Amino acid sequence: MTGDSEFRANFLRIVGGQDHADAGAVPAPSPAPPTPYDNLPAGIFTTDGDGVLTSLNATMAGWLRGDAGQLVGRPFAAFVVEAQALEADDGGTETGRVTLVAEDGTSFDAVMMQHEMASGAIEGVLLRSGVMPADPEGDDTAAPPDWLFASAPVGIVILDLDGLVSRCNPAFGRLLGTDADNVTGHPFTDLVVPDDQGEVTAALSKVVMGTARAAHLDVRMPGPRGRELAASLYMSPVRQGTRDGAGGVSGLVLHFIDATEHKNLELQFAQSQKMQAVGQLAGGVAHDFNNLLTAMIGFADLLLERHGPDDPDFGDIMQIKQNANRATNLVRQLLAFSRKQKLEPVILDVTESLSELTHMLGRLLGETVELRMRHGRDLGPVRVDKGQFDQVIINLAVNARDAMPTGGVLSVTSSRLALAEPLRREVDPVPAGNYVRIDVADTGTGIPADVLAHIFEPFFSTKQVGEGTGLGLSTVHGIIHQSDGYVLVESAPGAGTTFSILLPEQSADAAEVARRAEKALAEADLTGRATVLLVEDEDAVRMVGRRALENKGYTVLEAPDGEAALDLVAARKDDIDLILSDVIMPVMDGHTLVKLVRQELPDVKVILMSGYAED
């Protein structure tokens, strides 16, 4: 309480003190227009600095048994029988108790709250008698009125001094997915997740003891269907005693605002920032790194054509090629996580693909892990890169194996999932639609909550140094999301882990069109003898490309950049059958080169190649 004497005097001036008989009446010049507060269950009105009504809502006019247009312009004091200012808070809100008389002579008690607006006028809020009880010995503002308590859109809880829930409104019950009566009588801290209980208890104690006038903190609470809620909690004391609020604390009133969706958006934003950062890293290294690897692998292949398995150098060359391929896979994993890899999606039968993987999974899991494969019925096709889909299942299987060091069961189950409404998840909300669901479940050690929040982050790993790159699950996440799918995970220590992959089910018509296109592409004849203009700025890559093409019978013209390529086109345009060009080159990129070449050779065939292209 501020004890602001000037504001309190203003309150008494507006309500006119004890006697309203001399206040007079000023007729309203015209009917008052509707206000945006007409439908509120509270009376809202404004006055000028002299206490004359300037506007009031339909509720207030109804209480006064008059028409809003006729009431505007009359002193508010004309309706006041008795008034007493109670207290003023730091926010400039004055609370008072008034007895009002309506136009028909009936009177009623009410609690009025007012604050001074920027224009200097006073805005008042009236709550009817019986809705806000007027206890002669108590504090009229100790607790919310029944109508506000019951219909408030936010959760409200009243606690006694033992921390037990004495009352809660329906909104709080809906927040928890239960009936409000099921919460009454229970310790409030039981409704909060264990990790937050200590902080909540400390805050409640400070408010009860008076060391804090109020408190605000964010808490997590178990919600319906196993969903964890995030809520903003506001707590303040309930006082009883004298009207100036000097009485002791009899309990606490808590207000809850559901902040789950807000927290989910924060998590999604943070995740997108992480993915963007890794995507930029992947894009920065992929082009140059792939050029080096292309040269290594290409020259290794050329050497293997002359050095067969009986050659003493064969093993050394194979080691070079295998390690270069491992490095290539590492770049692909980075690109998969950042969703920037080039996928080649095809229409896929999940049952058939999983069946083909059964033998390989059996070898990967070993003898101590039992593989159980269950296929659902009437599964529609999905559209996904076949190789990447296999990689996803293999990565999940290997992780499951490592989580069962003493053996266990790995279940791979497919089923059809039809979502009539979006599936709300913390990071990945799943839109409504039809999906093919693949569950990969193990009976292993489970994943602690603090680890579960980071499993899809790149380079995050709980394995020992040298046992993994930390890119397995981030790769899974990237591949599935780039295929317009979703990855869900459920796990608890000692209860195993289940990864669920949701891929959009394709309609029969779309699947048939895609199959025909794939068949036409597979049957196309791409062989032949021709003169090829090879444009590549990396000398080693250009040399590998030239030798590989020449070994297959092609005539090759080389250009180290776009400008040199244009010179060759001008000199040999009648001889060139195909242009094979890198995309990312200094001075002039592959796309610009093609546009300029088309001016000279409008019908020339062009292939653009790149280990990584941003667009």
Side-chain angles (χ1 to χ4, degrees):
M1 294 176 291
T2 62
D4 189 333
S5 59
E6 180 181 355
F7 197 80
R8 183 162 301 190
N10 198 18
F11 174 89
L12 294 174
R13 185 176 75 252
I14 296 303
V15 299
Q18 302 293 325
D19 185 7
H20 67 279
D22 299 330
V26 180
S30 61
T35 77
Y37 314 111
D38 278 346
N39 295 325
L40 289 181
I44 309 292
F45 69 93
T46 60
T47 69
D48 60 18
D50 296 323
V52 176
L53 288 168
T54 57
S55 70
L56 68 166
N57 70 344
T59 302
M60 186 67 192
W63 289 350
L64 296 178
R65 303 293 194 273
D67 179 81
Q70 297 299 320
L71 294 173
V72 168
R74 298 177 62 180
F76 180 69
F79 305 99
V80 180
V81 176
E82 182 182 0
Q84 181 181 9
L86 297 181
E87 61 179 87
D89 64 18
D90 292 333
T93 297
E94 182 78 9
T95 303
R97 175 178 173 168
V98 295
T99 300
L100 301 178
V101 60
E103 290 281 76
D104 61 0
T106 60
S107 63
F108 59 93
D109 295 331
V111 171
M112 188 172 85
M113 293 171 284
Q114 65 175 18
H115 69 272
E116 190 166 4
M117 298 187 296
S119 62
I122 300 298
E123 178 182 68
V125 180
L126 279 178
L127 306 177
R128 290 197 64 177
S129 175
V131 174
M132 175 73 80
D135 181 2
E137 301 300 327
D139 179 5
D140 293 329
T141 61
D146 288 342
W147 64 265
L148 179 60
F149 186 84
S151 61
V154 300
I156 304 176
V157 175
I158 308 296
L159 301 184
D160 61 20
L161 291 180
D162 294 325
L164 302 179
V165 177
S166 58
R167 291 182 66 194
C168 67
N169 69 342
F172 184 73
R174 290 193 298 270
L175 193 69
L176 299 183
T178 185
D179 189 273
D181 294 338
N182 295 331
V183 181
T184 304
H186 294 277
F188 170 70
T189 52
D190 289 352
L191 306 178
V192 181
V193 299
D195 290 346
D196 292 347
Q197 289 178 0
E199 184 180 5
V200 170
T201 300
L204 293 173
S205 300
K206 290 180 181 179
V207 176
V208 170
M209 295 173 63
T211 57
R213 292 189 57 191
H216 169 228
L217 63 158
D218 294 328
V219 297
R220 292 168 295 163
M221 308 172 69
R225 297 183 297 276
R227 174 171 171 253
E228 185 177 271
L229 299 172
S232 289
L233 167 60
Y234 299 84
M235 58 182 68
S236 54
V238 175
R239 298 184 180 277
Q240 289 187 353
T242 61
R243 294 192 180 281
D244 60 3
V249 175
S250 62
L252 294 170
V253 57
L254 313 181
H255 292 80
F256 295 83
I257 298 176
D258 189 352
T260 307
E261 193 66 27
H262 177 73
K263 294 295 183 182
N264 289 345
L265 291 174
E266 286 184 347
L267 289 172
Q268 292 178 47
F269 180 70
Q271 180 72 3
S272 66
Q273 284 188 315
K274 292 176 183 178
M275 296 185 69
Q276 182 181 12
V278 175
Q280 290 175 342
L281 169 65
V285 304
H287 179 259
D288 292 336
F289 200 37
N290 273 326
N291 278 337
L292 299 174
L293 294 171
T294 298
M296 294 179 191
I297 296 171
F299 281 117
D301 285 336
L302 293 174
L303 287 171
L304 289 173
E305 290 182 359
R306 303 195 305 269
H307 299 269
D310 297 332
D311 193 288
D313 295 328
F314 179 81
D316 296 337
I317 300 171
M318 284 299 299
Q319 282 294 323
I320 295 172
K321 181 178 179 179
Q322 289 172 2
N323 282 280
N325 282 329
R326 287 182 60 190
T328 301
N329 289 330
L330 188 61
V331 177
R332 287 175 180 167
Q333 286 182 310
L334 281 171
L335 292 175
F337 169 78
S338 61
R339 308 181 198 177
K340 292 187 176 182
Q341 65 176 345
K342 181 65 175 176
L343 296 181
E344 297 179 0
V346 297
I347 296 299
L348 199 70
D349 184 308
V350 169
T351 300
E352 182 180 333
S353 297
L354 291 176
S355 298
E356 292 174 355
L357 285 173
T358 302
H359 184 62
M360 178 183 292
L361 291 178
R363 288 187 301 172
L364 286 173
L365 296 176
E367 296 180 357
T368 60
V369 176
E370 179 187 353
L371 175 63
R372 296 177 182 174
M373 192 85 70
R374 300 186 183 93
H375 303 301
R377 295 182 178 181
D378 302 324
L379 301 184
V382 298
R383 192 168 186 269
V384 66
D385 186 297
K386 176 67 167 66
Q388 300 295 345
F389 176 81
D390 291 350
Q391 182 181 346
V392 165
I393 302 301
I394 290 171
N395 281 356
L396 293 178
V398 169
N399 277 356
R401 178 200 64 190
D402 295 342
M404 299 182 287
T406 59
V409 177
L410 174 66
S411 300
V412 181
T413 307
S414 60
S415 60
R416 188 173 184 270
L417 176 65
L419 294 179
E421 58 184 29
L423 178 63
R424 299 293 179 184
R425 308 292 292 190
E426 284 72 11
V427 177
D428 288 328
V430 183
N434 295 327
Y435 297 87
V436 174
R437 174 172 179 166
I438 303 107
D439 290 332
V440 180
D442 64 60
T443 58
T445 55
I447 306 174
D450 58 335
V451 175
L452 196 63
H454 303 283
I455 58 173
F456 292 121
E457 295 179 4
F459 305 112
F460 178 82
S461 178
T462 58
K463 297 179 180 179
Q464 298 295 324
V465 176
E467 293 183 2
T469 62
L471 285 172
L473 290 178
S474 62
T475 300
V476 168
H477 190 274
I479 290 172
I480 297 303
H481 272 259
Q482 199 173 352
S483 303
D484 298 325
Y486 299 87
V487 183
L488 313 178
V489 57
E490 294 182 1
S491 184
T497 302
T498 299
F499 284 91
S500 298
I501 299 168
L502 305 183
L503 292 171
E505 188 178 58
Q506 302 296 310
S507 66
D509 293 341
E512 183 59 28
V513 170
R515 286 193 186 96
R516 290 176 181 175
E518 293 161 11
K519 183 178 180 181
L521 182 61
E523 294 177 351
D525 184 3
L526 304 179
T527 62
R529 303 178 65 87
T531 298
V532 179
L533 172 56
L534 176 62
V535 188
E536 170 61 61
D537 61 306
E538 287 285 339
D539 293 342
V541 176
R542 191 174 67 254
M543 186 182 302
V544 169
R546 177 181 59 81
R547 289 182 57 181
L549 289 169
E550 288 177 342
N551 286 349
K552 299 300 180 181
Y554 290 93
T555 301
V556 180
L557 305 176
E558 292 183 61
D561 53 53
E563 292 181 348
L566 290 177
D567 292 338
L568 278 171
V569 168
R572 303 280 300 272
K573 61 181 180 181
D574 294 335
D575 299 332
I576 298 174
D577 300 299
L578 172 70
I579 297 177
L580 180 61
S581 175
D582 190 12
V583 173
I584 302 175
M585 296 183 295
V587 182
M588 183 185 300
D589 61 25
H591 295 289
T592 303
L593 171 62
V594 171
K595 291 179 182 178
L596 295 175
V597 168
R598 294 287 189 196
Q599 297 177 10
E600 294 289 331
L601 299 173
D603 298 326
V604 70
K605 295 181 175 62
V606 177
I607 295 176
L608 292 176
M609 59 180 180
S610 181
Y612 167 73
E614 290 190 2
D615 184 1

